């Protein structure tokens, strides 16, 4: 009895609060699986490098392996490894570091003990792009009498509005238009006296906003389909319009090379974001700082502090006019497009991340969806679909002109994914609206990623 | 030489201005104690540094040339160019980073760029994977916090603008400015009109009252642009040189319009032609049209060929049949002749028929009228041959195409052609007939009065040029039509004699169709019946005759 109690005590009391002991064989299997699945690439260290010390792994390894691994955790673990290695004083290399350092092309890791280990400069590792189904044309809607220059989607995803050079805004039923059925046109709004360049539908109000080259910014009440507000103040044509995602603020930018911030309700102009030296062609708004990003024809991008009404960074990397901007949906970054290149930026501080090369045209529009697909449409009707993260152009094509149009009328002016991200609507120079969708029958086998070419392109441009 | 020359009468005072100009009263030069005696020395002004650097042994914050002086740069930035001197922002203190390297980018991080993120490093143009923390999508808390902060800041701005725009806000504004301000004012003693009794004045400033109902007086004024932001480093390579091909691609020809030419330039014709776009429109006709027309043409030709062949064939067949029939007839005739001559038919049949048979029959006849028969046969032969020739000719003429058919050609010849051919048998003209003469040439004795008639008269020629025998009466009913439409003569007479279609009233002066041609007085003829409507004369004559009776 006493012996039994003692044994029980030994068994449980001293382990109180600790996790139960691990079952050895299952643990082994788990580690083996993880190694095969996640560390296969670095399982065998390169022969020229010193072999990672097993002591470091043994030091804090076991506990870490059992942890639920997220990306952040791995990073932390790598730091621990490095610390352990430094403490032991032995020259060691970090076995696994997150891709931030690997992409830097190697470098030096300084140990606290003064041992400086210089890794050999490696070639850039080619990131593997994620596979996306190719897109194809679903239907063509014609109804406008001029270039279609602006598109906005209803947040409910039932309809979309297009603004055209024929001075009208047309509201279309998405389902009917996509099916090519009759009666897709729901409404035509007139009120502008020049080409309409910016459209936005508010997700919190029954309002739609439009801006045009006639210097007018109008607020339409969608319950009675009438203009209820004018925002007066632009000195020249307006090229872009955006709504703030969280505040009741409207931002327009145009040929007078400023962006103007309007209070939606009182029609007052809150700020004039001046600083560009040429027309501002594109706009982006974010809920977090930078709340406004503008791309201009003076080849710069400015990130604005909305509170102070001043820019806090100017990005001068582009060589040609920046005509389009698109925000990433899964990360806080944005892509800018100019005739020379497309560039991805870190939004918070405007740090340059990577180029997206491959679309050799004057790019008029960019759109991205939640699946990390980025669309770029060119002034010559060329279309490229990109993998947002890696910058891999997975599909290149041209959008044909409507019968009866000139070849020169191939051109894409505006684009937008619908709220679900499964349809893409483009407004074109041949006065048509085209609706694209993913090819559902495509598989990675039928449309494989051309890794060879991609690796070639990727390494070539990093020279 | 001065010894023998007379002394000068006038004296010229030559002023020597070297060193005569009083030097500006210079400020007392600061006394900088020599090295080693600077324990109590504090460099305060720029002059204390004597154009040199800081004194390391003096343990006081020093700003030689104003470098690094707090507030100096911001003041200079606010005044833009106005800084000047040692305080200007053009001079930047050398700063080093953690590794001891000089921070050269300090030069761009001044002025308006002071509190901005300025990208100056090489790393800023290199591709890299971003910072995971910074790339993370903003959390809801962050968004809400940002929105709140921004909302408050913007509401303040909007509030000011809105209240200033409302009537109530305007009143409050006016109230605020209505309070009198007092300004102490010291006039310049050197200014004209200076009153030494009032060395200083206190001025009460009051807002001028405004009529609230006054119409607005605004005038849109162009606000000059503020100073631009300080430049930031340009992080892209210089633009490539423009190649010839690029230049060629950008060459836009001048606009040539067919409607406008404001400056009146002379535009070459080829340019004009190029401008109207006729070269641009390419007539695109489907080549199917060509194939269709070609095949149609071929088919037509074939059909024609076939019909011609068929017609030839039928004609040949007809000819053959005719000949065969003639031959048969001839045989029959021969047989009949032979029978008449007493030679048995079977013999003739045995001879084989035809001409030979006939001849044989004739020879075989051997009758008395041998010679006569031969002559007759020869005559017949000749006639036959003639007839045959005629037939063939007719056939040939008939088979001639279209316009060249015999009759048609004759009918449709032009008059000039006919004259040339001498075929025209007109009233005059022609080779043998009398000529066509101007009627005025005759009857010369009557003078011009007879030669030139009225303008409307058409009597220039004596006769019509052509004697259109059949053409003259084509509109007149013929005699043969009489049975169908009644007696033509009678109808004609009826038509011409009736007064039914005559106007009951003529033009004045032209009554009774008076001809003004002659100069002689109009002669009237007495109508016999009219003169004696009741037959009185006749009665009288009869009476006288009867009296004699």
């Amino acid at each position: 009895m006493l012996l039994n109690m003692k044994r029980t005590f030994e068994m449980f009391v001293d382990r109180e609060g600790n996790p139960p002991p691990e079952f050895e064989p299952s643990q082994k299997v788990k580690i083996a699986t993880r190694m095969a699945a996640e560390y296969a690439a670095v399982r065998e260290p390169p022969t020229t490098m010193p072999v990672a010390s097993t002591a470091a792994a043994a030091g804090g390894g076991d506990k870490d392996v059992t942890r639920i691994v997220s990306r952040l955790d791995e990073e932390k673990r790598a730091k621990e490894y490095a610390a352990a290695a430094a403490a032991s004083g032995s020259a060691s290399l970090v076995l696994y570091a997150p891709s931030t350092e690997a992409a830097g092309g190697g470098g030096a890791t300084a140990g606290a003990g003064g041992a400086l280990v210089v890794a050999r400069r490696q070639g850039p590792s080619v990131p593997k792009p994620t596979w996306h189904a190719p897109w194809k044309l679903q239907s063509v809607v014609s109804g406008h009498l001029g270039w279609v220059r602006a598109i906005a989607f209803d947040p409910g995803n039932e309809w979309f509005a297009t603004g055209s050079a024929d001075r009208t805004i047309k509201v279309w039923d998405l389902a009917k238009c996509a099916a090519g059925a009759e009666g897709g046109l729901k409404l035509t709004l007139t009120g502008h006296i020049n080409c309409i360049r910016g459209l936005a539908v508010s997700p919190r109000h029954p309002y739609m906003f439009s801006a045009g080259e006639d210097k007018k910014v109008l607020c339409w009440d969608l319950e009675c389909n009438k203009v209820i507000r004018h925002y007066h103040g632009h000195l020249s044509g307006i090229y872009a319009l955006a709504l703030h995602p969280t505040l009741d603020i409207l931002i327009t930018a145009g040929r007078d090379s400023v962006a103007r911030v309007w209070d939606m309700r009182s029609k007052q102009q809150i700020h004039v974001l001046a600083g560009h030296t040429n027309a501002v062609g594109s706009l982006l708004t974010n809920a977090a700082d930078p709340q406004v990003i503008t791309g201009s024809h003076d080849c710069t991008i400015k990130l604005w502090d909305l509170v102070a009404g001043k820019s806090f960074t100017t990005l001068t990397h582009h060589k040609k006019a920046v005509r389009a901007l698109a925000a990433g949906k899964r990360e806080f970054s944005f892509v800018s497009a100019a005739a020379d290149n497309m560039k991805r930026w870190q939004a918070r501080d405007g740090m340059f991340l990577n180029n997206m090369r491959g679309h050799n045209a004057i790019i008029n529009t960019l759109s991205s969806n939640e699946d990390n697909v980025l669309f770029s449409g060119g002034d010559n009707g060329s279309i490229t679909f990109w993998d947002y993260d890696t910058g891999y152009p997975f599909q290149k094509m041209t959008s044909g002109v409507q019968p009866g149009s000139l070849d020169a009328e191939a051109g894409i002016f505006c684009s937008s994914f619908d709220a679900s991200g499964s349809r893409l609507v483009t407004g074109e120079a041949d006065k048509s609206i085209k609706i694209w969708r993913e090819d559902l029958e495509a598989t990675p086998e039928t449309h494989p990623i051309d890794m060879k070419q991609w690796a070639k392109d990727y390494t070539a441009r990093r020279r | 030489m001065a010894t023998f020359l007379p002394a000068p009468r006038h004296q010229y005072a030559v002023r020597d201005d070297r060193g005569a100009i009083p030097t500006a009263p210079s400020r007392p030069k600061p006394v900088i104690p020599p090295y080693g005696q600077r324990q109590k020395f504090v460099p305060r002004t720029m002059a204390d540094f004597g154009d040199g650097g800081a004194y390391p042994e003096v343990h006081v914050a020093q700003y030689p040339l104003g470098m690094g002086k707090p507030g100096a740069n911001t003041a200079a930035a606010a005044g833009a160019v106005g800084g000047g001197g040692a305080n200007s922002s053009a001079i930047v203190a050398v700063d080093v980073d953690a590794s001891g390297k000089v921070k050269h980018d300090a030069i761009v991080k001044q002025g308006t760029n002071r509190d901005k993120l300025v990208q100056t490093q090489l790393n800023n143009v290199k591709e890299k994977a971003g910072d995971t923390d910074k790339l993370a999508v903003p959390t809801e808390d962050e968004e809400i916090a940002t929105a709140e902060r921004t909302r408050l800041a913007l509401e303040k701005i909007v509030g000011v603008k809105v209240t200033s725009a409302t009537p109530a806000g305007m009143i409050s504004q006016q109230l605020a400015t209505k309070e009198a301000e007092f300004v102490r004012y010291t006039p310049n003693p050197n200014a004209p009109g200076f009153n030494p009794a009032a060395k200083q004045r206190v001025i009460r400033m009051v807002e001028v009252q405004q009529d609230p109902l006054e119409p607005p007086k605004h005038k849109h004024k162009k606000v000059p642009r503020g100073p631009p932001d300080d430049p930031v480093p340009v992080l892209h390579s210089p633009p490539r040189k423009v190649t010839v091909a690029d230049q060629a691609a950008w060459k836009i020809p001048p606009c040539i319009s067919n409607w406008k030419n404001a400056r009146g330039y002379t535009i070459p014709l080829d340019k004009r032609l190029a401008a109207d776009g006729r070269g641009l429109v390419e007539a695109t006709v489907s080549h199917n049209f060509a194939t269709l027309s070609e095949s149609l043409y071929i088919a037509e030709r074939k059909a024609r060929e076939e019909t011609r062949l068929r017609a030839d064939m039928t004609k040949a067949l007809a000819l053959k049949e005719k000949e065969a029939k003639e031959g048969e007839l001839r045989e029959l005739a021969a047989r009949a002749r032979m029978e008449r001559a007493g030679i048995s038919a079977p013999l003739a049949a045995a001879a084989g028929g035809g001409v030979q048979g006939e001849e044989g029959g004739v020879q075989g006849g051997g009758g008395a009228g041998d010679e006569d028969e031969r002559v007759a046969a020869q005559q017949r032969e000749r006639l036959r041959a003639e007839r045959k020739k005629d037939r063939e000719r007719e056939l040939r003429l008939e088979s001639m195409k279209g316009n060249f058919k015999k009759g048609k050609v004759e009918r449709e010849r032009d008059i000039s052609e006919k004259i040339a051919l001498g075929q025209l048998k007109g009233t005059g003209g022609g080779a043998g007939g009398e000529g066509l003469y101007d009627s005025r040439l005759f009857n010369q004795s009557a003078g011009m009065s007879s030669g030139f008639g009225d303008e409307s008269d058409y009597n220039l020629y004596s006769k019509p040029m052509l004697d259109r025998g059949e053409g003259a009466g084509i509109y007149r009913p013929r005699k043969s039509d009489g049975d169908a439409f009644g007696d033509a003569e009678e109808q004609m007479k009826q038509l011409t004699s009736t007064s039914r279609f005559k106007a009951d009233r003529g033009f004045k002066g032209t009554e009774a169709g008076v001809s003004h041609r002659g100069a002689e007085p109009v002669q009237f003829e007495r109508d016999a019946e009219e003169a004696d409507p009741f037959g009185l004369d006749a009665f009288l004559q009869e009476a006288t005759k009867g009296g004699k009776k």
Side-chain angles (χ1 to χ4, degrees):
Chain A
M1 177 68 181
L2 196 69
L3 198 76
N4 205 353
M5 275 177 70
K6 202 178 173 185
R7 200 176 292 157
T8 315
F9 183 79
E10 272 172 8
M11 208 165 199
F12 292 108
V13 172
D14 65 334
R15 290 183 169 276
E16 197 180 326
N18 291 351
E22 285 140 359
F23 186 51
E24 197 69 21
S26 74
Q27 202 61 26
K28 266 188 184 170
V29 169
K30 192 176 180 184
I31 290 171
T33 317
R34 293 276 317 264
M35 281 181 82
E38 294 180 33
Y39 300 97
V42 289
R43 200 172 182 179
E44 300 295 327
T47 48
T48 51
M49 288 185 188
V51 178
S53 65
T54 47
D62 287 350
K63 240 185 268 170
D64 285 332
V65 168
T66 57
R67 202 182 284 163
I68 300 159
V69 178
S70 71
R71 200 181 158 103
L72 284 172
D73 283 0
E74 274 180 28
E75 200 181 338
K76 199 186 279 175
R77 189 156 54 92
K79 279 177 190 157
E80 274 178 29
Y81 281 170
S88 66
S90 66
S92 71
L93 195 81
V94 176
L95 183 66
Y96 171 78
S99 56
T100 48
E101 285 171 50
T109 312
L116 194 70
V117 179
V118 179
R120 207 175 55 178
R121 189 186 164 83
Q122 294 168 329
S125 59
V126 178
K128 185 164 170 53
T130 42
W131 184 82
H132 299 282
W135 290 67
K136 64 178 187 181
L137 186 65
Q138 187 181 14
S139 65
V140 180
V141 184
S142 54
H144 272 297
L145 303 174
W147 291 353
V148 183
R149 298 223 58 154
I151 285 182
F153 262 94
D154 163 37
N157 212 19
E158 282 178 7
W159 49 268
F160 64 93
T162 55
S164 160
D166 64 3
R167 306 174 304 226
T168 58
I169 302 165
K170 284 181 192 277
V171 177
W172 308 85
D173 191 301
L174 176 62
K176 280 183 184 168
C177 285
E182 288 288 309
L185 179 64
K186 292 176 83 164
L187 190 63
T188 302
L189 300 171
T190 56
H192 278 283
I193 51 175
N194 210 336
C195 175
I196 290 150
R197 295 291 295 266
L199 273 178
V201 185
S202 169
R204 296 189 303 277
H205 314 91
Y207 298 157
M208 181 165 75
F209 297 90
S210 66
E213 286 174 1
D214 50 1
K215 314 177 197 175
K216 277 174 156 184
V217 185
L218 303 183
C219 172
W220 301 82
D221 189 341
L222 293 173
E223 283 164 355
C224 52
N225 298 330
K226 278 177 182 158
V227 177
I228 53 167
R229 287 186 192 111
H230 289 250
Y231 301 88
H232 178 80
H234 263 288
L235 301 176
S236 195
I238 301 163
Y239 288 171
L241 178 147
L243 296 179
H244 194 281
T246 50
L247 297 169
D248 288 352
I249 283 173
L250 179 70
I251 298 145
T252 55
R255 211 178 79 87
D256 47 2
S257 64
V258 294
R260 288 173 202 267
V261 183
W262 309 90
D263 184 43
M264 203 181 271
R265 193 184 62 80
S266 68
K267 303 185 277 182
Q268 294 292 331
Q269 181 177 307
I270 302 173
H271 279 309
V272 182
L273 308 178
H276 282 295
T277 56
N278 207 336
V280 182
S282 46
L283 255 183
L284 208 59
T285 51
N286 292 312
D289 278 326
Q291 295 181 55
V292 182
I293 301 168
T294 55
S296 164
H297 288 9
D298 63 3
C299 313
T300 61
I301 300 165
K302 277 180 193 280
L303 277 57
W304 298 88
D305 178 7
L306 191 57
V307 175
K310 288 176 181 169
S311 76
F312 71 85
T313 309
T314 305
L315 308 173
T316 53
H317 296 53
H318 276 295
K319 290 168 82 172
K320 296 281 168 66
V322 181
R323 297 168 71 101
L325 292 170
K329 292 288 192 320
R330 286 194 191 170
E331 58 177 28
F332 198 34
S333 65
F334 66 94
V335 175
S336 63
D340 56 339
N341 226 334
M342 283 167 63
K343 289 175 191 283
R344 189 166 70 107
W345 311 84
Q346 191 168 292
R348 263 177 236 272
D349 54 359
M351 195 167 74
F352 170 61
L353 296 182
N354 62 291
N355 278 323
M356 298 167 102
R357 212 168 294 171
H359 192 173
N360 295 323
I362 298 170
I363 298 168
N364 274 334
T365 175
L366 287 176
S367 318
S368 64
N369 73 358
E370 269 82 3
D371 301 334
N372 267 348
V373 172
L374 179 72
F375 165 83
S376 64
D379 209 29
N380 57 356
S382 56
I383 285 173
T384 308
F385 289 92
W386 308 79
D387 178 34
Y388 187 92
D389 284 337
T390 54
Y392 167 66
F394 68 87
Q395 192 184 6
K396 288 182 185 178
M397 59 202 277
T398 52
S399 137
V401 291
Q402 275 197 99
S405 305
L406 304 175
D407 284 340
E409 282 181 326
I412 295 163
F413 285 124
C414 56
S415 64
S416 176
F417 283 101
D418 74 340
S420 69
S422 61
R423 297 284 143 80
L424 173 73
V425 180
T426 57
E428 317 229 347
D430 63 357
K431 305 165 189 171
S432 68
I433 301 159
K434 290 188 176 137
I435 302 179
W436 309 77
R437 67 173 167 86
E438 277 184 328
D439 189 357
L440 296 176
E441 282 148 20
T443 59
E445 285 73 42
T446 57
H447 295 81
I449 293 171
D450 189 0
M451 275 309 280
K452 211 171 177 182
Q453 187 61 38
W454 166 235
K456 211 169 156 188
D457 293 346
Y458 191 81
T459 49
R461 69 174 124 145
R462 290 202 154 204
R463 238 182 337 230
Chain B
M1 205 155 72
T3 53
F4 59 84
L5 278 177
R9 252 185 291 169
H10 302 287
Q11 278 209 326
Y12 298 95
V14 177
R15 215 182 55 163
D16 184 17
D17 58 354
R18 274 174 299 172
I21 294 173
T23 51
S26 60
R27 269 186 279 169
K29 262 204 161 181
V31 183
I32 302 166
Y35 183 70
Q37 298 169 18
R38 292 175 186 158
Q39 281 80 13
K40 290 187 178 173
F41 172 65
V42 179
R44 291 184 197 285
T45 59
M46 218 54 71
D48 286 342
F49 293 102
D51 291 341
Y55 303 100
E57 69 273 25
V58 177
H59 297 287
V60 170
Q62 302 170 48
Y63 305 103
L65 293 173
M67 287 191 298
K69 199 171 187 177
N73 268 337
T74 47
V81 196
N87 266 358
S88 80
S89 60
I91 297 163
V92 183
V94 173
D95 204 357
V96 292
D97 62 0
S99 61
K101 281 181 186 164
V102 176
K103 279 189 194 166
H104 290 292
D105 58 353
I107 204 156
V108 292
K109 284 192 177 168
Q110 51 175 345
T112 54
N113 288 333
R114 178 165 294 274
D115 43 4
K116 287 185 183 172
L117 276 168
V118 185
Q119 301 192 346
T120 54
Q121 305 296 317
L122 175 64
N123 193 36
N124 291 130
V125 294
K126 287 201 166 166
E127 294 195 351
K128 57 192 134 345
D131 191 344
T132 326
D133 290 341
K134 286 190 171 171
L135 275 178
V137 175
T139 57
E140 215 156 285
D141 294 344
E142 191 189 346
E143 281 183 7
I144 290 169
T146 313
E148 194 58 28
R149 190 164 52 88
T150 318
R151 189 178 60 81
L152 289 176
L154 299 187
E155 261 178 13
K156 210 180 273 174
I157 299 170
V158 173
V160 169
K161 288 197 172 179
V162 168
T163 49
S164 70
T166 53
M170 278 167 82
I171 287 164
S172 71
Q173 251 182 342
Q174 279 177 352
L175 284 176
T177 51
K178 244 177 201 170
E179 284 174 23
E181 270 181 51
F182 293 94
V183 180
R184 191 187 296 277
Y185 169 62
T186 313
N188 183 5
N190 298 331
F194 174 69
N195 183 7
K199 288 237 170 68
Q200 226 177 32
R201 295 166 196 267
V202 173
I203 299 171
R204 183 166 167 267
M205 297 251 283
V206 185
E207 186 89 354
V208 176
Q209 230 175 6
Q210 281 185 326
D211 181 4
L213 295 177
E214 202 178 19
K217 282 197 237 170
H218 27 238
K219 205 176 157 194
H220 283 294
K221 270 187 192 161
K222 212 170 195 179
V223 182
R225 244 193 193 171
D229 286 350
D230 284 336
V232 290
V234 174
L235 295 184
H236 61 74
S237 57
R240 304 281 176 271
K241 260 189 184 168
V242 184
T243 61
V244 178
D246 282 343
Q247 279 176 327
W250 275 104
K251 174 131 185 18
I252 298 164
C255 173
I256 292 170
S257 170
N258 277 329
W259 292 272
K260 277 187 183 178
N261 185 6
R263 307 219 173 153
Y265 290 130
T266 310
I267 298 164
L269 190 63
D270 58 330
K271 297 272 184 341
R272 266 194 196 282
L273 287 179
D276 75 350
R278 73 182 68 185
L280 296 177
V281 182
E282 228 172 90
T284 47
V285 180
S286 172
H287 60 86
N288 288 341
F289 283 108
T291 37
L292 175 68
S293 64
E294 198 170 332
S295 49
L296 275 178
Y297 172 73
I298 289 168
E300 192 198 3
R301 210 175 51 184
K302 266 192 180 160
R304 276 183 193 286
E305 188 89 358
E306 271 171 22
T307 40
R308 195 180 56 79
L309 276 176
R310 207 172 299 133
D312 282 356
M313 191 75 88
T314 39
K315 233 166 255 174
L317 276 177
L319 201 66
K320 215 175 186 180
E321 206 170 297
K322 216 170 186 177
E323 270 180 5
K325 209 163 199 176
E326 214 166 279
E328 207 174 305
L329 280 175
R330 223 178 287 137
E331 197 184 332
L332 269 178
R335 207 179 295 158
R337 231 176 281 128
M338 271 184 205
E339 267 174 17
R340 225 186 309 140
I343 300 155
S344 64
L347 198 140
V355 182
Q356 282 177 342
E358 188 191 3
E359 277 172 2
V362 168
Q363 281 167 357
D370 210 13
E371 188 64 18
D372 285 354
E373 283 224 341
R374 205 174 51 86
V375 170
Q378 268 179 352
Q379 216 159 4
R380 278 201 303 277
E381 272 304 300
R382 207 187 59 225
L383 274 176
R384 231 176 266 139
E386 235 167 59
R387 233 177 280 153
K388 193 181 176 188
K389 216 168 148 190
D390 275 351
R391 269 203 307 276
E392 274 171 358
R393 184 163 171 275
E394 213 133 283
L395 211 65
R396 241 187 298 121
L397 279 173
E398 257 177 51
S399 67
M400 275 168 96
K401 265 184 234 165
N403 282 337
F404 297 99
K405 269 188 180 167
K406 185 184 151 203
K408 208 174 179 186
V409 167
E410 289 302 314
R411 242 182 290 131
E412 294 196 350
R413 275 220 165 104
D414 201 33
I415 286 176
S416 54
E417 214 174 325
K418 277 184 180 172
I419 291 168
L421 288 169
Q423 284 178 334
L424 191 66
K425 298 274 194 316
T427 43
E434 53 178 335
L436 190 64
Y437 299 108
D438 192 336
S439 59
R440 289 166 297 183
L441 294 176
F442 311 119
N443 199 11
Q444 286 285 332
S445 58
M448 289 303 270
S449 60
S450 79
F452 293 103
D454 212 33
E455 262 185 2
S456 55
D457 287 346
Y458 186 81
N459 52 358
L460 203 55
Y461 293 100
S462 51
K463 281 176 254 175
M465 185 167 100
L466 296 180
D467 185 21
R468 289 203 180 85
E470 73 274 323
I474 51 170
Y475 299 115
R476 217 173 264 269
R478 266 165 282 159
K479 202 100 186 171
S480 54
D481 291 339
D483 357 329
F485 308 108
D487 189 10
E489 284 294 313
E490 202 150 309
Q491 280 172 10
M492 189 70 196
K493 206 177 275 173
Q494 207 177 353
L495 274 177
T496 47
S497 66
T498 186
S499 62
R500 197 169 154 199
F501 300 112
K502 272 183 189 160
D504 49 355
R505 200 145 50 94
F507 292 104
K508 247 178 201 163
T510 60
E511 277 97 351
V514 180
S515 165
H516 304 285
R517 188 191 292 175
E520 65 271 320
V522 179
Q523 293 183 352
F524 296 97
E525 253 177 60
R526 177 165 291 214
D527 194 350
E529 281 182 26
E530 209 177 53
D532 183 23
F534 306 108
L536 216 71
D537 284 352
F539 173 69
L540 280 176
Q541 269 182 357
E542 217 169 284
T544 50
K545 273 180 188 171
K548 277 186 180 171
K549 226 193 262 182

